Amino acid sequence: AQRVTQPEKLLSVFKGAPVELKCNYSYSGSPELFWYVQYSRQRLQLLLRHISRESIKGFTADLNKGETSFHLKKPFAQEEDSAMYYCALSGWTQGGSEKLVFGKGTKLTVNP
Amino acid sequence: DSGVTQTPKHLITATGQRVTLRCSPRSGDLSVYWYQQSLDQGLQFLIQYYNGEERAKGNILERFSAQQFPDLHSELNLSSLELGDSALYFCASSVDLAGYYEQYFGPGTRLTVT
């Protein structure tokens, strides 16, 4: 079964500190992995996806197939990074339809 | 602004009632997705439509149904409402079928069942 686990519900760091939001997945094939972000009172938006290998707002994420992880990292957190972060997986079911599965999210708070 | 609109913004209704949530995708997007966000369950994928046809089903209850119309707007119908259906319902759209295309989310409809 496809599953995305974000073990930390809440994560609090100080400004300038490194931050890592953990994401582990369970999927038998080759998944597409994403990070979505939801700032306070705003809509969800795509932060980055593993196939593009981009760095957005200083965030990077590397897909580690051996550890089935897709952790989101930033070397120096900023206060404006405070938001809810969702890891998501896109994969195909046996029936040939696609499914998108989200983790439960991690609320990141960056303190001044 | 993602270009995806949802109405209404807020909805308060009683148990046992039926409501309809509406979503207009971004111009040119053929795929529409519905999600439910609650405090305990997080973000749950409900259903996806592509160009008027149902393409994928997630954790959607039988009391819920959706459709996508020829003009590509979509409606999510929730019936026999229960207290536990209180949540934020998001609609998202993408240009194509596959999940690796970026999904653009609407602002959500907050449903409160009393």
Side-chain angles (χ1 to χ4, degrees), chain B residues 12-26:
Chain B
I12 301 174
T13 189
T15 54
Q17 295 297 304
R18 174 191 165 96
V19 297
T20 298
L21 313 184
R22 185 189 165 103
C23 168
S24 292
R26 284 190 330 153

Side-chain angles (χ1 to χ4, degrees), chain B residues 84-106:
Chain B
D85 298 328
S86 296
L88 197 51
Y89 290 85
F90 285 107
C91 161
S93 73
S94 69
V95 64
D96 209 325
L97 192 60
Y100 52 75
Y101 288 98
E102 179 174 353
Q103 292 190 22
Y104 294 86
F105 281 79

Side-chain angles (χ1 to χ4, degrees), chain B:
Chain B
D1 186 354
S2 67
V4 178
T5 59
Q6 288 185 251
T7 55
K9 246 181 169 174
H10 303 278
L11 201 47
I12 301 174
T13 189
T15 54
Q17 295 297 304
R18 174 191 165 96
V19 297
T20 298
L21 313 184
R22 185 189 165 103
C23 168
S24 292
R26 284 190 330 153
S27 175
D29 284 358
L30 298 178
S31 234
V32 169
Y33 305 77
W34 285 98
Y35 296 89
Q36 179 193 58
Q37 185 181 39
S38 59
L39 282 172
D40 54 343
Q41 293 293 320
L43 197 61
Q44 299 271 320
F45 167 66
L46 296 177
I47 197 164
Q48 178 200 6
Y49 277 82
Y50 177 77
N51 204 19
E53 289 189 14
E54 181 186 305
R55 288 296 303 182
K57 248 181 175 174
N59 301 321
I60 188 165
L61 299 171
E62 283 198 18
R63 300 183 284 109
F64 296 0
S65 65
Q67 53 184 326
Q68 186 180 27
F69 294 87
D71 66 353
L72 301 177
H73 91 270
S74 178
E75 292 181 356
L76 180 67
N77 301 297
L78 316 175
S79 61
S80 303
L81 285 168
E82 301 174 0
L83 295 177
D85 298 328
S86 296
L88 197 51
Y89 290 85
F90 285 107
C91 161
S93 73
S94 69
V95 64
D96 209 325
L97 192 60
Y100 52 75
Y101 288 98
E102 179 174 353
Q103 292 190 22
Y104 294 86
F105 281 79
T109 292
R110 183 168 293 282
L111 174 66
T112 303
V113 182
T114 61

Side-chain angles (χ1 to χ4, degrees), chain A residues 9 32 34 36 38 42-46 49 51 84 86 90 92 96-104, chain B residues 1-4 35 37 40-43 45 48 55-56 90 97-103 105-107:
Chain A
K9 226 175 175 177
E32 304 289 343
F34 309 80
Y36 278 82
Q38 187 177 27
Q42 294 186 30
R43 59 190 75 195
L44 251 85
Q45 53 189 289
L46 179 68
R49 61 192 121 180
I51 55 171
M84 193 77 179
Y86 292 94
S90 171
W92 294 92
S97 64
E98 192 178 14
K99 198 169 173 179
L100 194 64
V101 178
F102 280 81
K104 294 200 173 181
Chain B
D1 186 354
S2 67
V4 178
Y35 296 89
Q37 185 181 39
D40 54 343
Q41 293 293 320
L43 197 61
F45 167 66
Q48 178 200 6
R55 288 296 303 182
F90 285 107
L97 192 60
Y100 52 75
Y101 288 98
E102 179 174 353
Q103 292 190 22
F105 281 79

Side-chain angles (χ1 to χ4, degrees), chain A residues 13-33:
Chain A
V13 300
F14 285 102
K15 178 183 168 182
V19 64
E20 182 180 55
L21 292 93
K22 291 186 167 46
C23 171
N24 289 91
Y25 67 90
S26 170
Y27 182 66
S28 55
S30 290
E32 304 289 343
L33 275 297

